[in-house]
Amino acid sequence: MNKLPLHCIVLAAGQGTRMKSAKPKVLHGIGGKPMVGHVLDAAEALGAAAVHVVHGHGGDQLRAWFDRHYGSERKVYWAEQAQQLGTAHAVSQALPAIPDQAQVLILYGDVPLISVATLGALVAAGDDTLALVTVELAEPKGYGRIVRNAEGAVTGVVEENDASDAEKRIREVNTGLMSMPATRLKQWLAQVGNDNAKGEYYLTDIVAMAMASGLKVATVSAASAEEVEGANDRVQLARLERFHQRQQADALLRQGLSLADPARFDLRGTLDHGRDVSIDVGCVLEGRVSLADGVSIGPYCILRDVSIGAGTVIEAHSVLEQTVIGAAAHVGPFARLRPGTELGDETKVGNFVETKQAQVGKGSKINHLSYVGDARIGTDVNIGAGTITCNYDGANKHLTQIADGVFVGSNSSLVAPVSLGAGATIGAGSVIASDVPAGGLTLCRAREQKSYARWQRPQKNKKD
């Protein structure tokens, strides 16, 4: 393993005009995370001593995103490339902050799926020489070609615009990912010129310089073309997204997770799952999701930062966010559990029910068409259809407390702050604005029911 401290340079200065977006290219997402975030995570996994990010267009947005998502947990050194003069010029902006006694790894903020395994092999190969990651492409157009001699040794990298017809037929291409000792990099960059078709300073020119120094250029093969593919437009971004999602799905299947259709599954965060967990089609999981043994997720659900206990069933089209659910619960279909919801074991939240900041005790049920917010609900409570907790007075939120064994009839309004005593029954259609004692029946309706025999239903006007 490399003995020198590892310094990673992440090139993230490209404007990305083909994205047709107001934000920098590297902030466009793969798997719910900006592309540059994947690259920074890879550098972290390698144990880099320092990470240097070269930014340009949208640098303020990039730095703001970093501060927002990493804060003080990680540190990077920022270097600005004010003019887009090529990759060698971009790398040179970071050199002043890199000591001579260091190993340098060149990464790209728009190449998000590079694996830690490939990068580890690259760093090891570049311990005392120049090492490159290469890949063979069926259609290599646009890439720099790897030129080798009869013995197979690398003799140079030729960019597309400068390649001869014979060189353009070479299928092995340079990915731009490379590693080398800092002392050699600094020496080579000082010699790079811009005598080429684009008038730019190409980082690939250092390959010929390494050969001229008598060094053998080492190469590491990428595991797949997608691993080293950059996303320059939204078509490439979408293609990499699907590749990334299929990789995640395949890994989860191997771990024992059941996916009804791996092609219709999106994980945009992390998933911790137990045994015999099943997820139906069209589900999106975001943030940190934990599913215990035997959990079943129905089709087209969204789970965002949730923990779900063993044996719980989430029916179709339910949306759960920042929610904790106990064991053997039943949610949905078409339920929306908003942040702060905590459901105990054996609870049921049914179709078209919305909850927020609600704690629901074991065995309690909110079956249909209800809103429960800012509530503390005990065990074995039944909330009838159409019930709402009126928790907001236009300025402040207020708490509704419902003790064990309460039965709330359908179409009731509980005007918070209010407390319902253990075992109380609320008659259907009541508006409860005062505390209710334990036991007995409480109801509050506007007037007694009356029937009007001579009343006639309004009729539509006849057309002439």
Side-chain angles (χ1 to χ4, degrees):
M1 193 65 182
N2 176 46
K3 298 183 175 99
L4 296 173
L6 179 63
H7 283 242
C8 296
I9 299 176
V10 180
L11 303 186
Q15 183 173 355
T17 54
R18 281 181 280 175
M19 287 290 185
K20 302 186 186 304
S21 172
K23 64 183 179 182
K25 175 171 65 171
V26 298
L27 287 183
H28 288 267
I30 293 288
K33 180 190 300 181
M35 290 190 286
V36 70
H38 289 274
V39 179
L40 293 174
D41 287 349
E44 177 80 6
L46 286 170
V51 177
H52 308 259
V53 178
V54 180
H55 64 86
H57 171 77
D60 290 343
Q61 293 182 58
L62 179 57
R63 297 182 71 160
W65 167 81
F66 183 89
D67 291 341
R68 194 164 57 248
H69 289 269
Y70 292 108
S72 59
E73 293 180 5
R74 296 191 194 176
K75 180 181 179 182
V76 301
Y77 296 88
W78 299 95
E80 183 180 9
Q81 186 187 23
Q83 293 179 285
Q84 307 293 299
L85 301 178
T87 49
H89 177 258
V91 170
S92 68
Q93 308 308 300
L95 286 188
I98 297 177
D100 289 343
Q101 296 303 308
Q103 180 82 4
V104 177
L105 175 63
I106 308 296
L107 302 171
Y108 294 82
D110 62 351
V111 181
L113 303 186
I114 183 64
S115 70
V116 174
T118 297
L119 292 180
L122 177 63
V123 171
D127 191 18
D128 58 0
T129 188
L130 173 64
L132 311 173
V133 175
T134 70
V135 66
E136 287 203 8
L137 299 177
E139 298 292 338
K141 184 178 180 180
Y143 290 87
R145 309 305 202 274
I146 299 293
V147 181
R148 297 180 182 267
N149 61 21
E151 288 73 38
V154 175
T155 59
V157 178
V158 180
E159 296 297 328
E160 170 90 13
N161 292 335
D162 302 304
S164 66
D165 290 341
E167 289 168 336
K168 288 179 180 178
R169 288 193 290 271
I170 297 172
R171 293 176 57 188
E172 185 184 16
V173 302
N174 175 43
T175 66
L177 298 158
M178 56 180 66
S179 180
M180 74 293 290
T183 51
R184 296 189 185 277
L185 175 61
K186 292 179 179 182
Q187 176 187 353
W188 294 330
L189 284 182
Q191 303 173 51
V192 173
N194 65 344
D195 185 17
N196 52 62
K198 285 190 174 182
E200 293 185 353
Y201 297 89
Y202 291 143
L203 184 61
T204 49
D205 287 354
I206 70 174
V207 177
M209 296 177 189
M211 298 298 299
S213 301
L215 294 176
K216 181 180 179 181
V217 175
T219 59
V220 173
S221 296
S224 68
E226 291 85 358
E227 180 185 16
V228 293
E229 184 176 352
N232 294 307
D233 58 28
R234 295 182 188 270
V235 173
Q236 289 180 305
L237 191 70
R239 183 166 61 244
L240 289 181
E241 176 72 35
R242 294 326 314 157
F243 177 80
H244 175 62
Q245 291 299 342
R246 187 55 196 250
Q247 278 190 313
Q248 294 189 118
D250 287 349
L252 290 167
L253 288 167
R254 294 187 187 99
Q255 294 168 12
L257 180 70
S258 177
L259 295 173
D261 184 353
R264 290 186 284 171
F265 167 78
D266 281 67
L267 175 58
R268 302 171 187 170
T270 60
L271 171 60
D272 178 34
H273 65 88
R275 301 180 65 177
D276 299 314
V277 173
S278 64
I279 300 178
D280 213 324
V281 300
C283 292
V284 178
L285 279 58
E286 301 181 349
R288 298 172 64 94
V289 175
S290 177
L291 307 178
D293 293 349
V295 167
S296 174
I297 309 297
Y300 304 105
C301 291
I302 299 175
L303 278 58
R304 184 180 299 117
D305 294 312
V306 302
S307 176
I308 300 178
T312 287
V313 174
I314 310 297
E315 299 280 10
H317 296 281
S318 294
V319 179
L320 286 62
E321 180 178 5
Q322 296 177 29
T323 296
V324 177
I325 302 176
H330 199 113
V331 174
F334 297 98
R336 185 185 181 195
L337 308 188
R338 295 169 63 191
T341 295
E342 297 179 15
L343 304 184
D345 297 345
E346 301 173 26
T347 50
K348 184 172 182 181
V349 172
N351 47 295
F352 302 103
V353 171
E354 179 180 358
T355 65
K356 181 184 180 186
Q357 293 292 340
Q359 297 178 6
V360 182
K362 181 179 179 180
S364 292
K365 299 178 177 64
I366 313 171
N367 278 322
H368 326 279
L369 301 159
S370 296
Y371 169 74
V372 176
D374 294 288
R376 304 293 179 266
I377 299 175
T379 61
D380 298 315
V381 171
N382 185 85
I383 305 293
T387 294
I388 64 171
T389 57
C390 307
N391 57 323
Y392 184 53
D393 63 8
N396 301 294
K397 299 290 182 68
H398 300 281
L399 182 66
T400 297
Q401 300 186 75
I402 303 177
D404 297 345
V406 169
F407 183 97
V408 179
S410 299
N411 199 34
S412 294
S413 298
L414 309 178
V415 184
V418 70
S419 176
L420 280 59
T425 298
I426 307 300
S430 293
V431 178
I432 303 299
S434 300
D435 290 349
V436 172
L441 170 67
T442 299
L443 56 88
C444 179
R445 295 169 181 161
R447 61 183 182 182
E448 294 297 325
Q449 179 173 312
K450 292 184 179 182
S451 298
Y452 300 88
R454 297 182 180 180
W455 178 84
Q456 292 186 355
R457 184 177 299 162
Q459 303 293 316
K460 290 184 179 180
N461 294 327
K462 296 182 179 180
K463 294 182 179 180
D464 295 332

